[in-house]
Amino acid sequence: MSLSIPCVLMRAGTSRGPFFLRDWLPEGDEARDQALIGAIGASDPLQLDGLGGGSTLNSKVAIVSRSTVPGCDLDYLFAQVGVGHRSVDTRPNCGNMLSGVAPFAIEQGLIPAQDGTTTVRIHNVNTGSQIEATVCTPGGKVSYDGDARIDGVAGTAAPILLNFLDAWGAVTGQVFPTGKRIDTIDGLDVTCIDAAMPLMMLRAADLGLTGRERPAELDANAALLARIEALRLEAGRRMGLGDVSGSVIPKPVLVSAGDSPDSITSRYFTPHKCHASHAVTGAIGVATAFALPGTVASGIARSAGRHALVVLHPAGQIDVAVDLEGEGDAIEVRSAALVRTARKIMQGMLHLPGYVFPPAVPSPEPLSAAPSAVRNFPQRELHIIVPTSSGGGNDTMARTLTRKLGPLLGQPVVVDNRAGANGSIASEYVAAAQPDGHTLLFGYIATHGINPALQKLRYDPVADFSPVGLIGYSPTLLVVPASLPVDDVASLVRLLRDAPSPLAYASAGDGTVPHLAAELFQLQTGTRLTRADFSGAGPAIADVANGLVQMMFPSLFTALPYLRSKRLKALAVAGMERLAACPEVPTLQEAGVPGVAMTQWYALFAPAKTPHAVTRQLNTALNTVLSDPEVAARMQADGAQVQTSTPGELHDLLLSEGERWQDVVRQTGLRLNMASD
């Protein structure tokens, strides 16, 4: 049985997934779930055969229909689909995907749009709660363009206001389903709360934590994760949810003090991994516990009325407006509202293969079928941790390699994006991983060259890693939007000097090549620029191509698709010689700007103390893949030049790069006023 169905792929809040009308999907819950597994590509950790992105944040589905509930316009069923396993969980809710429901329904003709804004009342089928969503509809049509910005998403979009009306106790029937605001489990104070999402909340300090740890640090602490899971299982039982070992609820949350009386810091788990930012429904629950007295998260005493509260998370903050009624210990939350954004990515027909419908899961190929040289290693799937966001040059290059590495090693090789702190999050995670070769780092010039010269780190680029081998090089370019009225470096410098206020350059994070090259460019040209920070090169260059930022120093790998589509102009090469891919583009030295030469390099690293036999085997496999003409041609077409090495040669490169960047820092006086501790 194969099936073709309509589908709309949307970015909703900080999540992404397919949106379906219920009528588009097969009848019956079992057939529906099989279709969702096929739509996402759930059985594969990479989700190559579906719309998923290899992460729980990109493995979500929204199913929408006209509501059967009086007073509501729409029914919204959320489904969390598995990553690497065939599962569909419809017990939780997702506030991020919720932000796409109203615009999707209006465009599909379920709701008539008003001129200006349209407010829709949504019944969440998962929890029974009701939410009002207000969407921008100028001229009676949905608009995704606007000035609203939410942390974790590049660019701006039209605001979507979500007002949660009755999410309190929606799953369990009570805001505090155990009957207490604080329970004691295994000697720890715990608040079990059901407010938009069932949560188990703990004070970070009670676990010996500050609460400000990065997600990678928490994920690398196996003992902590094991203890949190044991607490979660018991909390689920006490909340009346039964055995939650196979469910994603309740979600664990670690809370600590915020930056002001109206803010609280949260680390939200999904539930076995710390969220890179924060779930919207989780933020409602955290804000509720923060506003009410007697919980592990309680803040100052608050009176009835509306209070603007802030939930701080690793990628920024979520602002929640909470309405309270009553007084003293009897005070209650009446509603909570926040702003999200959404964007339609594509609409068309989704083709589901026949193999997703049989309930039986095919048996994996036996290990004995793998080449004899890899029967002892690897024993399970490998993870390549990429320190930048998906869609950038590092990510694309890593995924090109994994397609060939997996079959060669006889085990799946999965790309895991852990962006943040200019690669420090990913680097710390791999440095702390088990040194058995199953967790590797896609390192590059920033993580192992620039970072140590610019800032204090909690990892040593030489001592904490076992080099596996070089992958390749990619030159750096100076690019501007096609719409910017400059055609060479001289006219750009004149524009920068004559502008009434500083123009902006795009940075992929502290200490990245786009950041450092722009700083050097300012020093050499005597100009002044404003820095626009992004969580990686992918979202950064997208905003440059859209004209929202005026210039950037990306790698050729990152810039090439935009140069080909003529959305960007290359003004100069930040290197020693011109490039064969664009021979008409001069070097910065030729354009009269010396001292800005930055060729990016990429390499694979294992944790320190990984057995030499394992790193040798990985080096052999990596060099075999890089010698594949298809891989070399693909990388060259994308703007990167393959370069292999031995582990020893990569070690020597690290030493020389360390000396080089220390010299650059001394010469320029550049220094980041931040540390990763």
Side-chain angles (χ1 to χ4, degrees), residues 310-336:
V310 175
V311 177
L312 303 173
H313 57 76
Q317 67 183 54
I318 297 177
D319 299 297
V320 184
V322 174
D323 281 319
L324 300 177
E325 61 182 5
E327 58 183 24
D329 291 342
I331 200 164
E332 296 179 347
V333 176
R334 182 176 60 190
S335 66

Side-chain angles (χ1 to χ4, degrees), residues 3 5-7 17-22 24-26 28-43 47 49-52 58-64 77-83 85-90 126 350 352-353 356-357:
L3 191 64
I5 58 175
C7 172
F19 280 63
F20 300 102
L21 293 180
R22 182 62 186 90
W24 294 348
L25 295 167
D29 290 353
E30 183 177 353
R32 176 203 69 194
D33 289 352
Q34 294 292 343
L36 299 185
I37 288 169
I40 294 295
S43 54
Q47 299 181 333
D49 210 31
L51 295 175
N58 305 69
S59 303
K60 300 182 175 187
V61 175
I63 302 170
V64 182
L77 177 67
F78 167 70
Q80 180 69 65
V81 183
V83 180
H85 51 90
R86 298 164 61 90
S87 66
V88 177
D89 191 353
T90 57
N126 308 73
L350 177 66
L352 301 175
V356 305
F357 291 100

Side-chain angles (χ1 to χ4, degrees), residues 187-264:
L188 293 178
D189 286 346
V190 173
T191 291
C192 298
I193 187 169
D194 179 6
M197 174 70 71
L199 305 177
M200 177 200 72
M201 304 181 67
L202 299 142
R203 299 185 190 97
D206 291 348
L207 291 167
L209 303 169
T210 66
R212 302 271 178 152
E213 288 81 4
R214 296 191 180 96
E217 297 177 67
L218 300 173
D219 291 347
N221 190 334
L224 172 69
L225 296 181
R227 188 171 191 196
I228 289 176
E229 178 62 7
L231 294 168
R232 189 183 80 89
L233 295 178
E234 176 59 20
R237 187 187 65 78
R238 295 191 187 189
M239 295 170 76
L241 297 171
D243 179 7
V244 298
S245 58
S247 176
V248 298
I249 58 171
K251 299 291 180 70
V253 179
L254 305 181
V255 293
S256 58
D259 295 335
S260 72
D262 292 324
S263 67
I264 183 170

Side-chain angles (χ1 to χ4, degrees), residues 174-199:
Q174 299 181 72
V175 177
F176 298 102
T178 69
K180 302 176 183 178
R181 297 199 175 192
I182 293 182
D183 290 89
T184 301
I185 302 178
D186 192 23
L188 293 178
D189 286 346
V190 173
T191 291
C192 298
I193 187 169
D194 179 6
M197 174 70 71
L199 305 177

Side-chain angles (χ1 to χ4, degrees), residues 367-379 407-410 617:
L367 187 62
S368 59
S372 60
V374 297
R375 287 179 184 171
N376 295 324
F377 169 81
Q379 297 293 324
L408 188 62
L409 291 170
Q617 186 175 336

Side-chain angles (χ1 to χ4, degrees), residues 450-504:
I450 299 173
N451 274 8
L454 280 176
Q455 58 183 299
K456 180 182 176 184
L457 299 172
R458 288 193 298 199
Y459 69 90
D460 187 304
V462 177
D464 289 341
F465 296 92
S466 294
V468 173
L470 265 172
I471 294 169
Y473 291 91
S474 185
T476 299
L477 299 173
L478 166 57
V479 301
V480 298
S483 58
L484 199 70
V486 298
D487 293 310
D488 53 37
V489 174
S491 58
L492 173 64
V493 171
R494 285 195 298 272
L495 177 65
L496 296 177
R497 290 173 175 167
D498 295 342
S501 59
L503 301 185

Side-chain angles (χ1 to χ4, degrees), residues 45-46 108 162 233 242 338 424 468 490 494-495 592 597 632 655 669:
L46 292 178
Q108 297 306 317
L162 300 179
L233 295 178
L338 46 79
S424 291
V468 173
R494 285 195 298 272
L495 177 65
L655 297 180

